[in-house]
């Protein structure tokens, strides 16, 4: 099979490194055959072997073909999508590949890299569907990064990520969680009014009895003795 051929070329180099050129040419031929046959498993095997033995010989057109076939798992996507993006025929395809790449990274909690991908799409794309996916990724990853920054006592970093979440999801669940985090940051800075305003916004953008609203209300009530004007607007 084509997949077995790809593994054979990988093993060829393991057994005899001097045959690298022969193996790289063979793997490119396997990739071409797999692409024509519509065989994603064989194409993944060929590209994975090329990446490991001769990454400079991995043709972006094969990576792009694999992305178009769909069904990549996150690890496979992280392996091939940078090559696919480089081979994209236009900006729209590049942004679509980049969005897929960000989603693959986010699914493995590699959120630092994912945020760069999503924010790149936000800066360049005008396609509503891609922007919605990028916003969703920014909201999820920004929350994770914000809370991670808090655990290592980097409030300025946490604030940056929470504000990114708010820009992407101003009134949704992620945005409300970001407001709650910002309220806690303001309180830690001694800005009681700023904290109260953040908690009020959490309450105002949700249902009257939702869990986030209840948490915000409890925090707001706890401020009542620290400021003369912290009640809900």
């Amino acid at each position: 099979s084509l997949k077995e051929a790809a593994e054979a070329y990988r093993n060829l180099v393991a057994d005899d490194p001097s045959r690298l050129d022969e193996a790289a040419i063979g793997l490119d031929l396997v990739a071409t055959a797999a692409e024509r046959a519509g065989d994603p498993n064989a194409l993944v095997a060929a590209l994975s072997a090329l990446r490991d033995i001769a990454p400079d010989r991995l043709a972006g057109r094969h990576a792009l073909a694999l992305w178009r076939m769909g069904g990549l798992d996150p690890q496979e996507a992280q392996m091939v999508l940078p090559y696919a993006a480089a081979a994209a025929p236009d900006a729209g395809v590049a942004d679509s590949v980049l969005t897929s790449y960000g989603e693959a990274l986010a699914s493995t909690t590699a959120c630092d890299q994912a945020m760069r991908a999503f924010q790149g799409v936000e800066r360049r794309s005008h396609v509503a569907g891609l922007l919605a996916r990028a916003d969703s990724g920014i909201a999820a990853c920004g929350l994770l990064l914000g809370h991670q920054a808090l655990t290592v006592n980097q409030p300025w970093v946490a604030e940056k990520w929470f504000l990114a979440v708010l820009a992407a999801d101003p009134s949704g669940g992620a945005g409300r969680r970001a407001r709650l985090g910002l309220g806690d940051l303001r309180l830690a800075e001694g800005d009681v009014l700023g904290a109260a305003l953040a908690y009020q916004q959490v309450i105002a953008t949700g249902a009257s009895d939702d869990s986030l609203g209840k948490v915000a209300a409890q925090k707001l009530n706890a401020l009542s003795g620290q400021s003369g004007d912290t009640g809900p607007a």
Side-chain angles (χ1 to χ4, degrees):
S1 71
L2 290 171
K3 185 175 181 181
E4 290 170 342
E7 291 304 320
Y9 281 119
R10 180 198 289 273
N11 294 334
L12 178 65
V13 174
D15 295 336
D16 185 355
S18 70
R19 300 180 72 180
L20 175 60
D21 283 346
E22 178 186 345
I25 292 169
L27 285 167
D28 188 72
L29 291 172
V30 171
T32 299
E35 184 179 338
R36 289 173 178 167
D39 185 343
N41 292 328
L43 189 47
V44 165
L47 296 188
S48 176
L50 273 170
R51 181 202 58 179
D52 292 343
I53 69 168
D56 58 321
R57 307 280 284 271
L58 197 163
R61 69 181 188 280
H62 294 317
L64 189 60
L66 184 56
W67 170 74
R68 284 174 167 152
M69 288 180 189
L72 290 173
D73 69 33
Q75 296 297 333
E76 292 168 348
Q78 289 178 48
M79 175 188 76
V80 302
L81 292 187
Y83 296 96
D90 56 53
V93 173
D95 287 339
S96 188
V97 173
L98 193 59
T99 303
S100 297
Y101 183 53
E103 290 168 342
L105 291 164
S107 71
T108 59
T109 66
C111 272
D112 264 325
Q113 295 169 272
M115 286 291 276
R116 289 193 287 272
F118 291 135
Q119 289 174 330
V121 173
E122 285 249 313
R123 285 192 298 271
R124 293 192 304 270
S125 181
H126 300 288
V127 178
L130 291 182
L131 291 172
R133 287 166 62 189
D135 280 342
S136 178
I138 289 170
C141 273
L143 269 182
L144 178 64
L145 291 169
H147 288 299
Q148 285 177 346
L150 287 180
T151 64
V152 295
N153 195 29
Q154 293 181 329
W156 60 95
V157 176
E159 180 175 22
K160 176 187 76 170
W161 293 127
F162 287 149
L163 289 174
V165 174
L166 277 178
D169 184 31
S171 58
R176 296 178 71 226
R177 287 181 175 85
R179 289 189 193 279
L180 202 60
L182 284 170
D184 294 344
L185 284 175
R186 298 287 178 260
L187 187 58
E189 295 167 347
D191 182 1
V192 176
L193 180 58
L197 290 173
Y199 297 146
Q200 288 172 0
Q201 289 172 326
V202 175
I203 296 168
T205 53
S208 60
D209 61 347
D210 75 304
S211 58
L212 282 177
K214 287 179 180 178
V215 171
Q218 290 169 357
K219 291 176 179 287
L220 192 59
N221 290 335
L223 295 179
S224 59
Q226 300 179 48
S227 173
D229 183 22
T230 60

